[in-house]
C-alpha cells in the first residue's frame, strides 16, 4: 500500500516514532491515535467497497475532516471522514 | 502542557521533544496543530514556542482571542459551530444533553474562583456570572440553564429525561479537567480557563478575524427554530460579549500583578483543547436524536 513518502501516514507530521504493521506493511505514525485512525479508515473502506485490500488512499484536509480517494486495481472510491478524540470514526460519507 | 520554569522556552521545548520522542499523542497532536508538523531540534522549537506565546506588543486579551479564533473560527471552523449555523432538532438536543453537565460544572468552577480570591471585583464578577448562567432572577429573567432545559422541552425532550442522561466520555473528561484546574491551579488561571470559553458565543469575534459566528443570526428572526431555542441562543449572544471580555480584562490585570501570565496562557490552551473535545461530544450526542 502506498503511503506518504515522508511523515505520518495520516497527518504527515514527522514528530514521534510509532510503527505499526497494517495490510502487511510496516508504517510510520506520529502517535498511536493516528495509527488507530488509519486502521479504522482502511477497514471502513474495505467493508463498504468489498475490496480485499487498498493500493492507496489520497487525502487532503486536516483533523477537522479529510477528503479522501481510495484506489484499488484501477478503481476509485471517494469519501470524507472525520475522527473522534480516540481515533474512532466520527463521521463518514461517500461521494460520487 | 505547562511551564515548569517561568518563561523558559528552552525547558518547555526540551519537554516537548522528549514527549514527542516517545510518541505521546497529546504532545505530538498539540505540536502538529499549533506549532509545526516538522520535527525540530530543541533550540528551533524553543524559538517557535516563544513566538507562539509572545503577545506581540498587544494585550493578553488579544492573544487569547487570536488563539481562540484560530482553533474554533479559523479556516476550518469547529464542526459543532458549522452544525449550529442552521441547527437541526438533533443538533440542539445534543447541545441540551451535554451542556446541562457543562453548566453544572460551570457553577462549581465559578464558586472555586470566588472561594480562592480576595479580590472584590472578581467576586462580584463571578456572582453576576453565576446568576446569569445558573441562578436567574425570578421568572422574568430565567437563567441560561433554565433556558437550555426549556429549549429541550420545546423540542420534545423532557427535563427529567435530560437529567437521567450521563455525560459522554469527552464531556466527562473535560469536566474533570476544568474541576481540577479550578480547584488546584491559581484562580487567575482558572478564570482564563473558564471565561475564555465564553468567547465561543462572543459575536464581536467576527469583526476580529473569525470566519463565521457561533450561529447565523438570521435564525433568531425566522421560523427555523423554536421560540425557546431562540431565547436560549439570544441570551448567550447578548451576555457572552460582556462575560468573556470583562473576565479577560480581570485576568490581564491580575496575571500582571501575580506575574503568572505564562501559566495563564498555558492553562487557557489546555482548557480550549478540552473544550474542542466537549463540543465534539455535543455532535456525538446529537446523532442519537437523528432518527427520533
Amino acid at each position: 500500500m502506498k503511503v506518504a513518502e515522508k511523515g505520518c501516514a495520516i497527518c504527515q507530521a514527522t514528530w514521534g516514532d510509532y510503527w505499526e504493521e497494517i495490510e502487511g506493511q510496516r508504517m510510520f505514525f506520529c502517535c498511536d491515535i493516528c495509527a488507530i485512525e488509519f486502521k479504522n479508515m482502511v477497514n471502513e473502506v474495505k467493508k463498504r467497497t468489498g475490496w480485499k485490500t487498498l493500493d492507496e488512499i489520497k487525502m487532503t484536509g486536516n483533523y477537522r475532516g479529510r477528503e479522501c480517494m481510495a484506489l484499488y486495481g484501477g478503481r476509485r472510491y471517494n469519501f470524507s471522514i472525520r475522527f473522534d478524540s480516540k481515533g474512532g470514526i466520527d463521521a463518514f460519507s461517500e461521494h460520487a | 502542557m505547562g511551564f515548569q520554569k517561568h518563561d523558559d522556552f528552552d525547558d518547555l521545548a526540551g519537554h516537548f521533544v522528549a514527549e514527542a520522542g516517545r510518541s505521546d499523542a497529546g504532545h505530538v497532536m498539540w505540536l502538529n496543530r499549533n506549532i509545526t508538523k516538522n520535527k525540530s531540534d530543541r533550540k528551533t522549537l524553543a524559538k517557535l514556542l516563544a513566538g507562539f506565546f509572545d503577545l506581540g506588543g498587544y494585550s493578553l486579551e488579544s492573544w487569547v482571542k487570536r488563539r481562540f479564533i484560530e482553533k474554533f473560527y479559523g479556516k476550518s471552523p469547529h464542526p459543532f459551530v458549522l452544525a449550529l449555523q442552521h441547527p437541526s432538532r438533533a443538533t440542539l438536543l445534543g447541545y441540551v444533553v451535554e451542556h446541562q453537565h457543562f453548566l453544572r460544572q460551570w457553577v462549581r468552577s465559578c464558586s472555586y474562583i470566588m472561594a480562592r480570591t480576595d479580590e472584590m471585583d472578581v467576586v462580584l464578577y463571578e456572582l453576576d456570572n453565576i446568576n446569569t448562567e445558573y441562578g436567574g432572577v425570578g421568572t422574568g429573567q430565567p437563567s441560561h440553564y433554565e433556558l437550555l432545559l426549556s429549549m429541550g422541552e420545546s423540542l420534545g425532550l423532557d427535563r427529567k429525561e435530560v437529567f437521567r442522561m450521563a455525560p459522554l466520555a469527552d464531556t466527562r473528561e473535560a469536566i474533570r479537567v476544568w474541576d481540577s484546574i479550578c480547584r488546584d491551579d491559581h484562580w487567575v488561571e482558572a478564570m482564563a480557563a473558564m471565561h475564555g470559553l465564553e468567547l465561543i458565543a462572543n459575536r464581536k469575534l467576527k469583526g476580529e478575524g473569525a470566519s463565521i459566528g457561533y450561529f447565523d443570526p438570521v435564525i433568531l428572526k425566522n421560523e427555523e427554530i423554536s421560540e425557546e431555542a431562540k431565547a436560549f441562543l439570544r441570551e448567550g449572544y447578548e451576555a457572552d460579549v460582556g462575560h468573556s471580555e470583562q473576565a479577560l480584562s480581570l485576568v490581564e490585570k491580575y496575571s500582571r500583578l501575580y506575574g503568572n501570565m505564562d501559566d495563564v496562557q498555558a492553562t487557557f490552551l489546555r482548557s480550549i483543547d478540552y473544550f474542542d473535545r466537549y463540543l465534539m461530544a455535543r455532535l456525538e450526542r446529537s446523532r442519537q436524536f437523528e432518527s427520533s
Side-chain angles (χ1 to χ4, degrees), chain B residues 5 18 25 73 78 103 116 127 145 150 172 174 199 210 212-213 236 252 272 275 286:
Chain B
K5 299 174 191 165
Y73 289 116
H78 193 283
L103 287 176
R116 299 177 68 220
L127 271 176
Y145 186 62
S150 298
R172 194 171 57 242
L199 287 171
I212 52 174
E252 178 123 27
I272 60 174
F275 190 58
S286 72

Side-chain angles (χ1 to χ4, degrees), chain B residues 81-148:
Chain B
V81 173
L82 290 175
L84 198 63
Q85 296 302 300
H86 292 271
S88 65
R89 174 178 175 270
T91 297
L92 293 173
L93 288 178
Y95 196 159
V96 171
V97 172
E98 296 308 302
H99 202 50
Q100 57 129 350
H101 297 290
F102 178 98
L103 287 176
R104 282 151 81 167
Q105 172 58 38
W106 185 264
V107 71
R108 236 175 269 135
S109 295
C110 295
S111 303
Y112 273 131
I113 295 166
M114 273 201 295
R116 299 177 68 220
T117 183
D118 284 329
E119 307 297 344
M120 200 45 69
D121 49 1
V122 173
V123 172
L124 290 171
Y125 168 81
E126 295 297 347
L127 271 176
D128 177 63
N129 193 299
I130 286 174
N131 255 340
T132 311
E133 300 291 342
Y134 206 76
V137 183
T139 50
Q141 206 180 317
S143 67
H144 203 57
Y145 186 62
E146 176 57 32
L147 290 170
L148 178 80

